[in-house]
């Protein structure tokens, strides 16, 4: 690699992943005396790259030479450029020399007693100074590296660690959150010699606990303190003192020294690993040493035993999960989005006080995206007035005090993990609920059944309750099944059974329209802002439309079953009036049209405000409007080919009103509407009775007595109801003339299988979006 880069010094931008190729490229550039700008994977096209204009770019896909001679004046001592622990939105870099790298690696190797037979796992990214220090210090001693991007929360990581006889790994505070979650205390790791921690303050009680575990299991626990400006490390706490002095950062590393500045109490570090200085533009690459010592910005004290302890920050920079966050830049970001806010930090939390009427979910998402932080470490408080000092300046201490402890000792962290699994998300906190996390009717079924199993019961309105308030019933409780889930399961069985002529009980699809309105109101008409509401509704529609078009398209191509209006869910508008198979999907078309119309209605700011003021009155008004077409008061049916949605959307509105009925008289009003409008609609009393019974149950009975077995079957059927409806048209006709029961069973099985396939595709698409979203967000900001 050094030979390929040549003898002419050039600035090399390297995407530093935990791979052999990345390590080889890094070592080769250093060996050839080429300064390296180390960036995260995928950041070669970032604003940082644009600001420094590298001569060579090395990605996982290969090496690209942009010029044969450098466009920059590169100082002879310059070896490495690192971002300052991930500073938010800043081109500011730390300039490090070869001597900085060598000296710090040698010091770390000395106090950790790194040996040639050690093997360290790369639990941290190489582009982060802490992760890079693991690489440098081990290779300096001829030790080995277990190169991996696997998380410590992944079982495959521990299988690799054991098989490779790993002797150490490093972690930031969040790493130890994950270790607690995966049961690290009970793991048997016979080759493990030591564990290191840095990148932010670890609570003293956890330091004590991990030190005790290490002593019990035969490994050492090193708490360390450092900054990118010191190449990596400045201090370490000798493992034998971790239990007695868990709040201390320890003593200076070999070759380094501290002093506490009189008056301010700021900790100042000196040593051969102190950076050359900062770079804020490409012209700064020509500079030599501009600093002699490092002002850490931390306020410290030195104990009688010679150990140093950090007691505060001189500046407002916060280090959260190893990332240096400037709250002022967060405030500026929110200001650009029209949100006035004051930001502060406490331990590993970023606390945001936003001026009403800001939406806390939107603010949390904006901050998480900009800072690349998980939502769980961001606390948002919407206030009528931002806290100020008597001078008029922001009161940051008041903002900091808005938030209590991260979670109480009995916080249901296992439930947070359950919500993350079911909703395919990350960063769930005990303050979240199913609704605030974006849950919808498709994920609700799975979540309700799993939650009841975990708690022993299902609390009323559990989907709106913060996770911290969900408590198990000792010894379990009586099993029950939520009525909306039971109705979805029963309705789809009635639909398929009736179509296959196993029995003749019609009305299931129209009952489902009421259930759809009920779930729409519960999961989409939340306290979130208007934009978030609309986004959530659009996502829900996408989860209906995408699998529908995919299945209908496949049936068109393979079976020549449908015409183009069906493919685009337009049969009720452009399809045949009579005959044909286009009517198969009238229910899905009606649901999509109703959701589109409702979304357009709620997109009007005035209507959105009206819904929040009159959550029960608005659906009653919509239902009244629907009765115009229900009873054809304008005599439109004989003259026009009206889509089914126009005739049935009053049922959707009834379900909507049922969800918002919070008093006895409101429920009586909805029941009266059901009893007054459903009879006579079909001209079939038995069919109307099915719809009436289902909707009345929805209004008055939150849950039904059940058993575990019934719940599991109902959950599968309800969760797959949309997919069963889609697919059964291609299944039961081939079997019904042989055995109607077999036709129904096969239809249900195919629909359930399609639901599993669609869910898997959606999860993979979501995972791909999460991987790409930082790049997309960065491009959007630029």
């Amino acid at each position: 690699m050094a030979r390929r880069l040549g003898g002419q010094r050039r600035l090399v931008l390297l995407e530093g992943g935990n791979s052999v190729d990345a390590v080889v490229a890094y070592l080769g550039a250093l060996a050839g005396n080429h300064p390296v700008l180390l960036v995260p994977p995928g950041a070669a096209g970032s604003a940082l790259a644009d600001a420094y204009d590298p001569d060579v770019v090395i990605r996982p896909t290969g090496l690209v030479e942009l010029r044969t001679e450098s466009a920059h004046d590169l100082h002879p001592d310059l070896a490495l450029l690192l971002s300052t622990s991930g500073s938010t939105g800043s081109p500011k870099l730390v300039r490090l020399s070869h001597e900085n790298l060598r000296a710090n690696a040698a010091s770390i190797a000395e106090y950790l007693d790194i040996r040639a037979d050690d093997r360290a796992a790369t639990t941290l990214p190489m582009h982060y100074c802490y992760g890079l220090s693991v690489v440098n210090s081990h290779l300096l001693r001829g030790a080995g590296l277990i190169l991996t991007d696997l998380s410590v929360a992944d079982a495959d990581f521990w299988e690799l660690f054991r098989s490779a006889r790993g002797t150490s790994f490093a972690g930031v505070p969040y790493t130890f959150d994950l270790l607690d979650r995966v049961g690290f205390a009970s793991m048997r790791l016979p080759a493990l010699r030591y564990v290191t921690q840095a990148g932010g303050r670890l609570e003293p009680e956890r330091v004590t606990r991990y030190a005790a575990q290490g002593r019990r299991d035969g490994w050492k626990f090193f708490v360390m303190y450092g900054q990118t400006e010191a190449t990596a490390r400045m201090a370490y706490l000798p493992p034998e003192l971790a239990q007695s002095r868990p709040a201390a950062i320890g003593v200076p590393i070999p070759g380094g020294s501290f002093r506490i500045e009189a008056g301010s109490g700021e900790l100042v570090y000196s040593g051969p690993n102190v950076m050359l200085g900062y770079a804020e533009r490409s012209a700064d690459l020509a500079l030599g040493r501009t600093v002699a010592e490092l002002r850490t910005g931390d306020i410290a004290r030195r104990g009688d035993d010679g150990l140093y302890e950090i007691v505060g920050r001189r500046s407002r920079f916060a280090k959260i999960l190893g990332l240096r966050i400037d709250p002022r830049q967060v405030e500026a970001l929110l200001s650009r989005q029209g949100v006035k806010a004051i930001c502060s930090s406490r331990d590993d939390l970023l606390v945001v006080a936003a001026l009403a009427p800001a939406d806390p979910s939107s603010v949390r998402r904006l901050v998480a995206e900009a800072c690349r932080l998980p939502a769980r470490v961001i606390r948002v408080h919407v206030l009528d007035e931002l806290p100020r000092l008597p001078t008029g300046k922001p009161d940051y201490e008041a903002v900091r005090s808005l938030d209590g402890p991260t979670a109480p000792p009995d916080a249901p962290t296992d439930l947070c993990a359950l919500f993350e699994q079911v909703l395919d998300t990350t960063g769930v906190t005990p303050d979240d609920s199913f609704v605030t996390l974006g849950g919808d009717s498709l994920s609700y079924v799975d979540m309700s059944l799993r939650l009841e199993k975990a708690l022993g019961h299902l609390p009323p309105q559990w989907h709106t309750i913060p996770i911290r308030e969900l408590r198990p019933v000792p010894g379990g409780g009586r099993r029950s099944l939520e009525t909306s889930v039971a109705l979805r399961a029963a309705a789809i069985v009635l639909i398929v059974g009736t179509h296959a002529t196993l029995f003749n009980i019609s009305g299931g699809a129209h009952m489902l329209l009421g259930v759809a309105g009920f779930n729409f109101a519960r999961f989409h008409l939340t306290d979130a802002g208007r934009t978030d509401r609309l986004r959530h509704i659009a996502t829900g529609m996408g989860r209906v439309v995408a699998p529908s078009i995919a299945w209908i398209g496949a049936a068109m191509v393979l079976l020549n079953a449908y015409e183009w209006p069906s493919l685009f869910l337009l049969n009720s508008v452009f399809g045949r009036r009579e005959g044909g198979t286009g009517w198969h999907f009238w229910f899905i078309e009606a649901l999509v049209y109703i959701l589109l119309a409702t979304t357009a209605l709620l997109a009007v700011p005035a209507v959105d405000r009206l819904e929040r003021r009159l959550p029960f009155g608005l659906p009653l008004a919509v239902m009244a409007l629907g009765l115009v077409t229900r009873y054809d008061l304008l005599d439109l049916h004989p003259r026009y080919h009206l889509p089914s949605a126009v005739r049935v959307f009053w049922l959707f509105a009834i379900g909507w009103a049922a969800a918002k009925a919070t008093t006895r008289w409101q429920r009586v009003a909805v029941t009266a509407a059901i009893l007054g409008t459903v009879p006579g609609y079909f001209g079939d009393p038995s069919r109307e009775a099915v719809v009436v019974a289902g909707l009345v149950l929805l209004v008055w009975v939150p849950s039904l007595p059940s058993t575990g077995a019934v719940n599991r079957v109902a959950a599968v059927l309800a969760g797959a109801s949309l997919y069963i409806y889609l697919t059964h048209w291609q299944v039961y006709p081939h079997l019904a003339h042989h055995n109607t029961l077999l036709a129904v069973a096969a239809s249900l099985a195919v629909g359930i299988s399609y639901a599993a396939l669609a869910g898997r595709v959606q999860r993979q698409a979501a995972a791909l979006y999460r991987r790409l979203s930082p790049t997309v967000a960065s491009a959007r900001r630029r």
Side-chain angles (χ1 to χ4, degrees), residues 120-138:
T122 55
T123 47
L124 300 170
M126 178 182 167
H127 61 83
Y128 173 36
C129 71
Y130 186 10
L132 186 62
S133 73
V134 174
V135 174
N136 291 339
S137 58
H138 282 76

Side-chain angles (χ1 to χ4, degrees), residues 730-754:
Q730 277 68 57
V731 181
Y732 80 84
H734 302 288
L735 299 171
H737 61 283
H738 295 297
N739 187 313
T740 54
L741 182 60
L742 176 62
V744 172
S747 297
L748 298 178
V750 170
I752 291 168
S753 300
Y754 187 49

Side-chain angles (χ1 to χ4, degrees), residues 557-622:
V557 173
L558 300 177
L559 304 176
N560 195 27
Y562 303 106
E563 298 174 348
W564 73 265
S566 295
L567 176 63
F568 297 104
L569 303 180
L570 294 172
N571 184 76
S572 60
V573 179
F574 299 107
R576 301 180 188 179
R577 289 189 132 190
E578 299 178 358
T581 57
W583 65 271
H584 283 178
F585 306 105
W586 75 265
F587 170 80
I588 295 175
E589 290 189 15
L591 178 60
V592 171
Y593 293 177
I594 291 169
L595 289 174
L596 283 172
T598 309
T599 303
L601 185 67
L602 293 172
V604 179
V607 177
D608 181 79
R609 291 192 295 269
L610 181 64
E611 192 281 327
R612 296 174 194 271
R613 287 198 300 269
L614 301 171
F616 180 71
L618 182 62
L620 285 185
V622 172

